[in-house]
Amino acid sequence: MENQGQRGFSKAEIPDPKAWLDGTPPAESDPRVERLVNELIGRVADKWTMLILELLEEKGTLRFTEIGRQVEGISQKMLTQTLRQMERDGLATRTVHPVVPPRVDYALTPLGNSLSAAFCGVWIWAERHLAAVEEARARFDAL
Amino acid sequence: MENQGQRGFSKAEIPDPKAWLDGTPPAESDPRVERLVNELIGRVADKWTMLILELLEEKGTLRFTEIGRQVEGISQKMLTQTLRQMERDGLATRTVHPVVPPRVDYALTPLGNSLSAAFCGVWIWAERHLAAVEEARARFDAL
DNA sequence: TGCTATAGACACCGAAAGGTAAGAAATGGA
DNA sequence: TCCATTTCTTACCTTTCGGTGTCTATAGCA
């Protein structure tokens, strides 16, 4: 993979799955930054994005149809759209091989890997507390 | 509701803000559970939910209009809807005081606190990598 | 009497998300 | 010759999201 000179930070900073935990506590209150962060999270916390992120994290490099097959329920339109967006946000790379049935490979960038690691906490939370949420819902709906 | 027998852990497990970090790696591959988890994350990763979660985490207990004032841009409809949903999911409590201009207080449950803690990682990620994402976008859009 | 304030419920309506389906482009194989 | 394959794009249409505006109940107050 050649591209993506992520200019500001070195690759060495990312590989550690817990890298996002050290230093820099959430002590921040600039409303402009906060707005940008909100917007970014809103885009990135998208259902399909999270699923594709997980899949690529686990499987490495995959081609278009492969992802479509493994992310159950996604339409081709959403797949294209989501991948394009991830590429634009610098989360994934898109490599086109100029062969005649087209072949396009997708893989995570270091940035994508770090996001995947950050989401890990939410993922674990959901797994661990799924039952609690369902129980709460049942209790709520019973009234 | 058709609870898949996921019950089996006590409330006492939740209060620690870092509880979601210890043990239990994401080693899990039951497609049914995975679907439920996806759905849960999709619901919980909602924009307004995240903002209210943050606000209540920071401020403690707040009443309806207070939240409306501090979550900039939310409509009354969305506020009601989101709070109702959070209550249903067991993330927040709703306390009605039978006084004459009505007064209703909202606060996070331990479950809500733990979710807030889990999202913390994503917030930090977004803060730290905001510039990288914007740079990636600029590069992408320049083509 | 009539006005205000609080926490909603409810209906209407435009905008946006997302699904379906068709087509395009290029080439090897039946 | 014609079809299948792969990765999209585009058009069309339905469903959902979310904003606005109206209505309620009740007590205090002018």
Side-chain angles (χ1 to χ4, degrees):
Chain A
M1 233 164 295
E2 33 5 58
N3 51 0
Q4 253 71 22
Q6 312 272 355
R7 218 167 327 201
F9 61 96
S10 69
K11 252 182 174 136
E13 191 174 349
I14 296 164
D16 176 5
K18 284 178 192 150
W20 50 274
L21 255 183
D22 64 15
T24 337
E28 163 260 341
S29 47
D30 183 341
R32 291 167 312 166
V33 174
E34 206 166 325
R35 249 197 53 252
L36 289 173
V37 168
N38 281 350
E39 188 195 344
L40 177 55
I41 289 186
R43 183 157 312 170
V44 127
D46 166 72
K47 175 188 179 185
W48 298 127
T49 303
M50 291 189 54
L51 292 179
I52 295 176
L53 205 66
E54 268 259 318
L55 182 65
L56 287 179
E57 167 76 18
E58 186 185 345
K59 304 285 178 69
T61 300
L62 290 174
R63 53 191 298 191
F64 187 80
T65 354
E66 264 312 298
I67 303 177
R69 258 192 290 274
Q70 303 202 32
V71 176
E72 188 177 11
I74 194 170
S75 70
Q76 192 218 37
K77 179 184 174 181
M78 279 293 93
L79 181 54
T80 303
Q81 203 171 103
T82 307
L83 285 171
R84 210 44 51 83
Q85 196 172 248
M86 290 175 70
E87 190 197 357
R88 176 168 184 262
D89 289 342
L91 302 175
T93 58
R94 175 171 174 270
T95 312
V96 182
H97 301 93
V99 295
V100 85
R103 177 198 175 94
V104 181
D105 286 334
Y106 292 90
L108 291 190
T109 62
L111 191 60
N113 281 305
S114 70
L115 177 59
S116 169
F119 265 127
C120 196
V122 182
W123 205 260
I124 293 175
W125 180 91
E127 280 176 29
R128 299 191 71 190
H129 300 303
L130 180 57
V133 171
E134 290 195 328
E135 204 180 319
R137 284 182 191 168
R139 221 177 303 127
F140 185 91
D141 293 342
L143 303 183
Chain B
M1 273 275 139
E2 64 316 301
N3 206 332
Q4 314 280 345
Q6 304 277 350
R7 73 198 74 205
F9 69 91
S10 67
K11 254 187 170 132
E13 197 172 344
I14 299 166
D16 175 6
K18 286 181 187 147
W20 51 273
L21 256 185
D22 63 15
T24 337
E28 164 260 340
S29 48
D30 183 341
R32 291 167 313 168
V33 174
E34 206 166 324
R35 249 195 53 253
L36 290 172
V37 168
N38 282 349
E39 188 195 343
L40 176 56
I41 289 186
R43 183 157 312 168
V44 128
D46 167 72
K47 173 188 179 185
W48 298 128
T49 303
M50 290 189 54
L51 292 179
I52 296 177
L53 203 65
E54 269 259 317
L55 181 66
L56 287 179
E57 167 76 16
E58 185 183 347
K59 303 286 178 69
T61 299
L62 291 174
R63 52 190 299 190
F64 187 80
T65 354
E66 264 312 299
I67 304 178
R69 258 192 290 272
Q70 304 202 31
V71 176
E72 188 179 9
I74 194 169
S75 71
Q76 188 221 40
K77 179 185 176 179
M78 279 294 95
L79 182 54
T80 304
Q81 202 171 102
T82 306
L83 285 171
R84 211 45 51 85
Q85 196 172 250
M86 289 174 71
E87 190 196 356
R88 176 168 184 261
D89 289 342
L91 301 175
T93 58
R94 176 171 173 272
T95 313
V96 181
H97 301 92
V99 296
V100 85
R103 176 198 177 93
V104 182
D105 287 334
Y106 292 91
L108 291 191
T109 61
L111 191 59
N113 281 304
S114 70
L115 176 58
S116 169
F119 265 126
C120 195
V122 183
W123 276 96
I124 294 176
W125 180 90
E127 282 175 29
R128 299 191 70 190
H129 299 301
L130 182 56
V133 170
E134 291 194 327
E135 203 181 321
R137 283 183 191 169
R139 219 178 305 128
F140 184 91
D141 294 343
L143 305 183

